[in-house]
Amino acid sequence: MKLSIILVNQNLHRPLRQAMYALKQAIQSLDAELIVVDNASTDRSVVMLTDEFQDVNVIQNIKPVGFATAVNQGVKASTGDYVLVQSPTVITAEDSLEKLLAFVETHADTGGLSVRMLDAEGNFIADSKRAMPTQWIKFFGATGLSKLFSKSQLFSHHYHSGWGEEFENTETDVLNNCFMLLRRSVLNEVGLFDERFKAYGQEIDLSYRIRLAGYKNFYFAKTFVIQQSVPPVSKWSWHFIKHFYGAMLIFAAKYLLKMPELKLKAMPRWSAPAYEFKQ
């Protein structure tokens, strides 16, 4: 099996349906499997999947679990050489997966890959080239954890600078968990998602472990996906405060005491001539 695609769904029946039909078109010429981990949905998600996508492997959780745990369920049930973790709110272009796989297969040092994302009106979503959240930057500066990333783009104020960079393939510190293509051999080496991160921070932790192992994460700009709009999460809710800020503490506890032992190579600016991709 070449590719395993994993979607974690919780009460996103309508966008999930659109995402699944787009993926079915995108994998027609690929040796691929679709896996949906349903996180105890109370809408018609499971019924829809059963009625319309009989060849999809549906893992149904009776009780909600954290996002990292749900993704790991899917990964453990998958068999592909590459694993794509995709949000149910993302619509994949028909040729996107072929282009992404072609890039990864010709660049053996790639651990993970994110992609250019557009909104429903065709506007570039700056978070495609993921930056560390401002709150994390301040926290890491206060604790000294910024030393882990001092020579990377992660703490650059210009990380989202320039319209032109939308179309430029570049290395990136943090993969976007709405759409991340991962090499299974790298996951076998660095481990799966850390399940202590329940809702936030798991992609930061995994991206860091990939780079710590000597691999590179990339933002791939030569194709695109569409991110459907969903209601925003309230940043004043107890769930957000608990898991968003709690994730910082988990990350700090995990790496702060190990800092003298960690030897993360400086990540240079991505060089276009060295990684030129022929479409």
Side-chain angles (χ1 to χ4, degrees), residues 78-115:
S78 67
T79 60
D81 297 331
Y82 300 95
V83 175
L84 172 62
V85 179
Q86 176 181 314
S87 168
T89 61
V90 167
I91 297 177
T92 307
E94 191 169 342
D95 63 348
S96 289
L97 300 182
E98 293 181 356
K99 290 182 177 179
L100 289 162
L101 289 171
F103 180 87
V104 175
E105 291 189 334
T106 55
H107 298 86
D109 58 352
T110 302
L113 195 68
S114 289
V115 71

mmCIF file of all heavy atoms in Angstrom, residues 78-115:
data_model
loop_
_atom_site.group_PDB
_atom_site.id
_atom_site.type_symbol
_atom_site.label_atom_id
_atom_site.label_comp_id
_atom_site.label_asym_id
_atom_site.label_seq_id
_atom_site.Cartn_x
_atom_site.Cartn_y
_atom_site.Cartn_z
ATOM 1 N N SER A 78 -3.493 1.341 9.705
ATOM 2 C CA SER A 78 -3.129 1.609 8.319
ATOM 3 C C SER A 78 -1.919 0.770 7.890
ATOM 4 O O SER A 78 -1.194 0.225 8.724
ATOM 5 C CB SER A 78 -2.822 3.093 8.120
ATOM 6 O OG SER A 78 -1.644 3.464 8.835
ATOM 7 N N THR A 79 -1.713 0.732 6.571
ATOM 8 C CA THR A 79 -0.617 -0.081 6.031
ATOM 9 C C THR A 79 0.245 0.665 5.023
ATOM 10 O O THR A 79 1.202 0.097 4.493
ATOM 11 C CB THR A 79 -1.172 -1.349 5.355
ATOM 12 O OG1 THR A 79 -2.050 -0.954 4.286
ATOM 13 C CG2 THR A 79 -1.947 -2.211 6.347
ATOM 14 N N GLY A 80 -0.060 1.913 4.707
ATOM 15 C CA GLY A 80 0.630 2.641 3.653
ATOM 16 C C GLY A 80 2.055 3.029 4.000
ATOM 17 O O GLY A 80 2.398 3.208 5.171
ATOM 18 N N ASP A 81 2.887 3.157 2.962
ATOM 19 C CA ASP A 81 4.251 3.650 3.152
ATOM 20 C C ASP A 81 4.246 5.106 3.597
ATOM 21 O O ASP A 81 5.195 5.569 4.239
ATOM 22 C CB ASP A 81 5.038 3.530 1.845
ATOM 23 C CG ASP A 81 5.205 2.099 1.390
ATOM 24 O OD1 ASP A 81 5.238 1.201 2.251
ATOM 25 O OD2 ASP A 81 5.296 1.876 0.166
ATOM 26 N N TYR A 82 3.183 5.823 3.228
ATOM 27 C CA TYR A 82 3.008 7.222 3.625
ATOM 28 C C TYR A 82 1.652 7.368 4.306
ATOM 29 O O TYR A 82 0.686 6.680 3.942
ATOM 30 C CB TYR A 82 3.090 8.147 2.416
ATOM 31 C CG TYR A 82 4.408 8.055 1.693
ATOM 32 C CD1 TYR A 82 4.563 7.228 0.585
ATOM 33 C CD2 TYR A 82 5.513 8.795 2.110
ATOM 34 C CE1 TYR A 82 5.778 7.128 -0.072
ATOM 35 C CE2 TYR A 82 6.728 8.702 1.457
ATOM 36 C CZ TYR A 82 6.857 7.872 0.366
ATOM 37 O OH TYR A 82 8.062 7.776 -0.280
ATOM 38 N N VAL A 83 1.606 8.267 5.278
ATOM 39 C CA VAL A 83 0.383 8.512 6.036
ATOM 40 C C VAL A 83 0.002 9.975 5.880
ATOM 41 O O VAL A 83 0.799 10.865 6.190
ATOM 42 C CB VAL A 83 0.567 8.173 7.527
ATOM 43 C CG1 VAL A 83 -0.680 8.555 8.318
ATOM 44 C CG2 VAL A 83 0.894 6.690 7.709
ATOM 45 N N LEU A 84 -1.199 10.218 5.388
ATOM 46 C CA LEU A 84 -1.717 11.581 5.289
ATOM 47 C C LEU A 84 -2.761 11.791 6.373
ATOM 48 O O LEU A 84 -3.779 11.094 6.406
ATOM 49 C CB LEU A 84 -2.348 11.827 3.919
ATOM 50 C CG LEU A 84 -3.104 13.158 3.751
ATOM 51 C CD1 LEU A 84 -2.163 14.339 3.924
ATOM 52 C CD2 LEU A 84 -3.815 13.216 2.402
ATOM 53 N N VAL A 85 -2.500 12.723 7.272
ATOM 54 C CA VAL A 85 -3.479 13.119 8.285
ATOM 55 C C VAL A 85 -4.182 14.357 7.767
ATOM 56 O O VAL A 85 -3.544 15.405 7.581
ATOM 57 C CB VAL A 85 -2.805 13.395 9.641
ATOM 58 C CG1 VAL A 85 -3.845 13.821 10.686
ATOM 59 C CG2 VAL A 85 -2.047 12.165 10.119
ATOM 60 N N GLN A 86 -5.477 14.234 7.517
ATOM 61 C CA GLN A 86 -6.218 15.331 6.890
ATOM 62 C C GLN A 86 -7.470 15.650 7.688
ATOM 63 O O GLN A 86 -8.179 14.757 8.153
ATOM 64 C CB GLN A 86 -6.614 14.956 5.457
ATOM 65 C CG GLN A 86 -7.470 16.021 4.776
ATOM 66 C CD GLN A 86 -7.892 15.638 3.371
ATOM 67 O OE1 GLN A 86 -7.096 15.171 2.576
ATOM 68 N NE2 GLN A 86 -9.171 15.852 3.065
ATOM 69 N N SER A 87 -7.760 16.934 7.815
ATOM 70 C CA SER A 87 -8.984 17.367 8.483
ATOM 71 C C SER A 87 -10.195 17.079 7.610
ATOM 72 O O SER A 87 -10.121 17.181 6.375
ATOM 73 C CB SER A 87 -8.913 18.861 8.781
ATOM 74 O OG SER A 87 -10.174 19.359 9.180
ATOM 75 N N PRO A 88 -11.333 16.727 8.206
ATOM 76 C CA PRO A 88 -12.566 16.539 7.436
ATOM 77 C C PRO A 88 -13.047 17.815 6.759
ATOM 78 O O PRO A 88 -13.922 17.761 5.899
ATOM 79 C CB PRO A 88 -13.580 16.076 8.492
ATOM 80 C CG PRO A 88 -12.771 15.589 9.632
ATOM 81 C CD PRO A 88 -11.526 16.411 9.626
ATOM 82 N N THR A 89 -12.476 18.952 7.122
ATOM 83 C CA THR A 89 -12.883 20.232 6.532
ATOM 84 C C THR A 89 -12.080 20.584 5.289
ATOM 85 O O THR A 89 -12.283 21.637 4.697
ATOM 86 C CB THR A 89 -12.746 21.375 7.559
ATOM 87 O OG1 THR A 89 -11.375 21.483 7.950
ATOM 88 C CG2 THR A 89 -13.595 21.094 8.787
ATOM 89 N N VAL A 90 -11.166 19.716 4.885
ATOM 90 C CA VAL A 90 -10.284 19.996 3.751
ATOM 91 C C VAL A 90 -10.769 19.267 2.505
ATOM 92 O O VAL A 90 -11.092 18.075 2.546
ATOM 93 C CB VAL A 90 -8.840 19.572 4.070
ATOM 94 C CG1 VAL A 90 -7.975 19.561 2.807
ATOM 95 C CG2 VAL A 90 -8.230 20.513 5.103
ATOM 96 N N ILE A 91 -10.816 19.985 1.383
ATOM 97 C CA ILE A 91 -11.150 19.398 0.085
ATOM 98 C C ILE A 91 -9.868 19.335 -0.738
ATOM 99 O O ILE A 91 -9.228 20.354 -0.995
ATOM 100 C CB ILE A 91 -12.216 20.225 -0.659
ATOM 101 C CG1 ILE A 91 -13.521 20.235 0.154
ATOM 102 C CG2 ILE A 91 -12.460 19.668 -2.046
ATOM 103 C CD1 ILE A 91 -14.613 21.086 -0.470
ATOM 104 N N THR A 92 -9.500 18.133 -1.148
ATOM 105 C CA THR A 92 -8.238 17.909 -1.847
ATOM 106 C C THR A 92 -8.421 18.039 -3.349
ATOM 107 O O THR A 92 -9.350 17.460 -3.922
ATOM 108 C CB THR A 92 -7.707 16.502 -1.522
ATOM 109 O OG1 THR A 92 -7.645 16.335 -0.101
ATOM 110 C CG2 THR A 92 -6.316 16.303 -2.098
ATOM 111 N N ALA A 93 -7.537 18.769 -3.991
ATOM 112 C CA ALA A 93 -7.564 18.879 -5.445
ATOM 113 C C ALA A 93 -7.231 17.525 -6.063
ATOM 114 O O ALA A 93 -6.531 16.700 -5.475
ATOM 115 C CB ALA A 93 -6.575 19.939 -5.919
ATOM 116 N N GLU A 94 -7.716 17.300 -7.275
ATOM 117 C CA GLU A 94 -7.648 15.971 -7.878
ATOM 118 C C GLU A 94 -6.228 15.467 -8.064
ATOM 119 O O GLU A 94 -5.965 14.269 -7.934
ATOM 120 C CB GLU A 94 -8.382 15.973 -9.221
ATOM 121 C CG GLU A 94 -8.588 14.592 -9.801
ATOM 122 C CD GLU A 94 -9.545 14.604 -10.974
ATOM 123 O OE1 GLU A 94 -10.291 15.586 -11.130
ATOM 124 O OE2 GLU A 94 -9.551 13.615 -11.738
ATOM 125 N N ASP A 95 -5.279 16.354 -8.369
ATOM 126 C CA ASP A 95 -3.912 15.910 -8.614
ATOM 127 C C ASP A 95 -2.957 16.210 -7.465
ATOM 128 O O ASP A 95 -1.741 16.002 -7.586
ATOM 129 C CB ASP A 95 -3.373 16.554 -9.891
ATOM 130 C CG ASP A 95 -3.297 18.079 -9.798
ATOM 131 O OD1 ASP A 95 -3.879 18.639 -8.836
ATOM 132 O OD2 ASP A 95 -2.681 18.704 -10.677
ATOM 133 N N SER A 96 -3.484 16.682 -6.336
ATOM 134 C CA SER A 96 -2.618 17.101 -5.233
ATOM 135 C C SER A 96 -1.806 15.953 -4.658
ATOM 136 O O SER A 96 -0.595 16.089 -4.418
ATOM 137 C CB SER A 96 -3.451 17.744 -4.120
ATOM 138 O OG SER A 96 -3.939 19.002 -4.504
ATOM 139 N N LEU A 97 -2.437 14.832 -4.436
ATOM 140 C CA LEU A 97 -1.748 13.732 -3.772
ATOM 141 C C LEU A 97 -0.623 13.179 -4.633
ATOM 142 O O LEU A 97 0.447 12.823 -4.118
ATOM 143 C CB LEU A 97 -2.745 12.634 -3.402
ATOM 144 C CG LEU A 97 -3.881 13.054 -2.458
ATOM 145 C CD1 LEU A 97 -4.765 11.874 -2.122
ATOM 146 C CD2 LEU A 97 -3.320 13.692 -1.190
ATOM 147 N N GLU A 98 -0.838 13.097 -5.923
ATOM 148 C CA GLU A 98 0.215 12.608 -6.814
ATOM 149 C C GLU A 98 1.429 13.525 -6.776
ATOM 150 O O GLU A 98 2.578 13.060 -6.757
ATOM 151 C CB GLU A 98 -0.319 12.483 -8.243
ATOM 152 C CG GLU A 98 -1.389 11.403 -8.414
ATOM 153 C CD GLU A 98 -1.864 11.300 -9.849
ATOM 154 O OE1 GLU A 98 -1.413 12.106 -10.685
ATOM 155 O OE2 GLU A 98 -2.693 10.419 -10.127
ATOM 156 N N LYS A 99 1.216 14.836 -6.771
ATOM 157 C CA LYS A 99 2.322 15.792 -6.737
ATOM 158 C C LYS A 99 3.065 15.719 -5.400
ATOM 159 O O LYS A 99 4.303 15.784 -5.362
ATOM 160 C CB LYS A 99 1.808 17.207 -6.981
ATOM 161 C CG LYS A 99 1.331 17.454 -8.401
ATOM 162 C CD LYS A 99 0.866 18.889 -8.593
ATOM 163 C CE LYS A 99 0.456 19.153 -10.034
ATOM 164 N NZ LYS A 99 -0.013 20.541 -10.245
ATOM 165 N N LEU A 100 2.318 15.596 -4.320
ATOM 166 C CA LEU A 100 2.944 15.515 -3.003
ATOM 167 C C LEU A 100 3.800 14.257 -2.878
ATOM 168 O O LEU A 100 4.933 14.305 -2.395
ATOM 169 C CB LEU A 100 1.873 15.530 -1.916
ATOM 170 C CG LEU A 100 1.146 16.863 -1.712
ATOM 171 C CD1 LEU A 100 -0.150 16.652 -0.952
ATOM 172 C CD2 LEU A 100 2.041 17.847 -0.981
ATOM 173 N N LEU A 101 3.271 13.129 -3.324
ATOM 174 C CA LEU A 101 4.018 11.881 -3.245
ATOM 175 C C LEU A 101 5.255 11.917 -4.134
ATOM 176 O O LEU A 101 6.315 11.399 -3.768
ATOM 177 C CB LEU A 101 3.124 10.704 -3.632
ATOM 178 C CG LEU A 101 2.034 10.327 -2.618
ATOM 179 C CD1 LEU A 101 1.087 9.301 -3.210
ATOM 180 C CD2 LEU A 101 2.659 9.800 -1.327
ATOM 181 N N ALA A 102 5.132 12.544 -5.299
ATOM 182 C CA ALA A 102 6.280 12.646 -6.191
ATOM 183 C C ALA A 102 7.405 13.429 -5.534
ATOM 184 O O ALA A 102 8.592 13.079 -5.662
ATOM 185 C CB ALA A 102 5.858 13.310 -7.501
ATOM 186 N N PHE A 103 7.053 14.500 -4.824
ATOM 187 C CA PHE A 103 8.070 15.303 -4.144
ATOM 188 C C PHE A 103 8.743 14.501 -3.036
ATOM 189 O O PHE A 103 9.974 14.451 -2.944
ATOM 190 C CB PHE A 103 7.443 16.566 -3.559
ATOM 191 C CG PHE A 103 8.431 17.452 -2.844
ATOM 192 C CD1 PHE A 103 9.155 18.401 -3.536
ATOM 193 C CD2 PHE A 103 8.641 17.319 -1.475
ATOM 194 C CE1 PHE A 103 10.070 19.213 -2.875
ATOM 195 C CE2 PHE A 103 9.553 18.118 -0.812
ATOM 196 C CZ PHE A 103 10.271 19.068 -1.514
ATOM 197 N N VAL A 104 7.946 13.862 -2.193
ATOM 198 C CA VAL A 104 8.508 13.127 -1.058
ATOM 199 C C VAL A 104 9.392 11.978 -1.537
ATOM 200 O O VAL A 104 10.459 11.715 -0.963
ATOM 201 C CB VAL A 104 7.376 12.593 -0.152
ATOM 202 C CG1 VAL A 104 7.941 11.733 0.961
ATOM 203 C CG2 VAL A 104 6.589 13.747 0.445
ATOM 204 N N GLU A 105 8.980 11.296 -2.595
ATOM 205 C CA GLU A 105 9.735 10.141 -3.059
ATOM 206 C C GLU A 105 11.060 10.529 -3.704
ATOM 207 O O GLU A 105 11.952 9.689 -3.832
ATOM 208 C CB GLU A 105 8.882 9.320 -4.026
ATOM 209 C CG GLU A 105 7.719 8.623 -3.323
ATOM 210 C CD GLU A 105 7.002 7.642 -4.225
ATOM 211 O OE1 GLU A 105 7.037 7.827 -5.457
ATOM 212 O OE2 GLU A 105 6.409 6.691 -3.694
ATOM 213 N N THR A 106 11.196 11.771 -4.117
ATOM 214 C CA THR A 106 12.456 12.221 -4.718
ATOM 215 C C THR A 106 13.306 13.026 -3.731
ATOM 216 O O THR A 106 14.375 13.509 -4.106
ATOM 217 C CB THR A 106 12.197 13.073 -5.979
ATOM 218 O OG1 THR A 106 11.316 14.155 -5.660
ATOM 219 C CG2 THR A 106 11.574 12.212 -7.072
ATOM 220 N N HIS A 107 12.838 13.154 -2.488
ATOM 221 C CA HIS A 107 13.597 13.871 -1.464
ATOM 222 C C HIS A 107 13.595 13.014 -0.196
ATOM 223 O O HIS A 107 12.712 13.131 0.665
ATOM 224 C CB HIS A 107 12.996 15.249 -1.196
ATOM 225 C CG HIS A 107 13.010 16.148 -2.394
ATOM 226 N ND1 HIS A 107 12.015 16.156 -3.338
ATOM 227 C CD2 HIS A 107 13.941 17.047 -2.827
ATOM 228 C CE1 HIS A 107 12.306 17.024 -4.284
ATOM 229 N NE2 HIS A 107 13.469 17.578 -4.001
ATOM 230 N N ALA A 108 14.601 12.156 -0.106
ATOM 231 C CA ALA A 108 14.636 11.149 0.948
ATOM 232 C C ALA A 108 14.770 11.737 2.349
ATOM 233 O O ALA A 108 14.485 11.050 3.339
ATOM 234 C CB ALA A 108 15.783 10.175 0.687
ATOM 235 N N ASP A 109 15.189 12.993 2.455
ATOM 236 C CA ASP A 109 15.355 13.602 3.775
ATOM 237 C C ASP A 109 14.069 14.227 4.297
ATOM 238 O O ASP A 109 14.056 14.814 5.376
ATOM 239 C CB ASP A 109 16.468 14.649 3.751
ATOM 240 C CG ASP A 109 16.221 15.752 2.720
ATOM 241 O OD1 ASP A 109 15.273 15.626 1.921
ATOM 242 O OD2 ASP A 109 16.986 16.741 2.721
ATOM 243 N N THR A 110 12.973 14.093 3.551
ATOM 244 C CA THR A 110 11.700 14.665 3.975
ATOM 245 C C THR A 110 11.038 13.771 5.020
ATOM 246 O O THR A 110 10.803 12.586 4.784
ATOM 247 C CB THR A 110 10.736 14.821 2.784
ATOM 248 O OG1 THR A 110 11.346 15.650 1.798
ATOM 249 C CG2 THR A 110 9.417 15.442 3.233
ATOM 250 N N GLY A 111 10.725 14.363 6.169
ATOM 251 C CA GLY A 111 9.986 13.635 7.188
ATOM 252 C C GLY A 111 8.501 13.891 7.097
ATOM 253 O O GLY A 111 7.678 12.986 7.265
ATOM 254 N N GLY A 112 8.134 15.155 6.845
ATOM 255 C CA GLY A 112 6.733 15.525 6.749
ATOM 256 C C GLY A 112 6.538 16.648 5.753
ATOM 257 O O GLY A 112 7.478 17.380 5.413
ATOM 258 N N LEU A 113 5.300 16.781 5.293
ATOM 259 C CA LEU A 113 4.990 17.746 4.239
ATOM 260 C C LEU A 113 3.610 18.337 4.485
ATOM 261 O O LEU A 113 2.644 17.605 4.709
ATOM 262 C CB LEU A 113 5.012 17.033 2.883
ATOM 263 C CG LEU A 113 5.065 17.863 1.607
ATOM 264 C CD1 LEU A 113 6.408 18.567 1.485
ATOM 265 C CD2 LEU A 113 4.867 16.947 0.393
ATOM 266 N N SER A 114 3.523 19.664 4.468
ATOM 267 C CA SER A 114 2.245 20.363 4.462
ATOM 268 C C SER A 114 2.058 21.007 3.097
ATOM 269 O O SER A 114 2.959 20.980 2.269
ATOM 270 C CB SER A 114 2.178 21.413 5.576
ATOM 271 O OG SER A 114 2.077 20.796 6.840
ATOM 272 N N VAL A 115 0.906 21.634 2.864
ATOM 273 C CA VAL A 115 0.568 22.072 1.516
ATOM 274 C C VAL A 115 -0.067 23.461 1.551
ATOM 275 O O VAL A 115 -0.539 23.915 2.602
ATOM 276 C CB VAL A 115 -0.390 21.045 0.858
ATOM 277 C CG1 VAL A 115 -1.761 21.106 1.512
ATOM 278 C CG2 VAL A 115 -0.486 21.249 -0.651
#
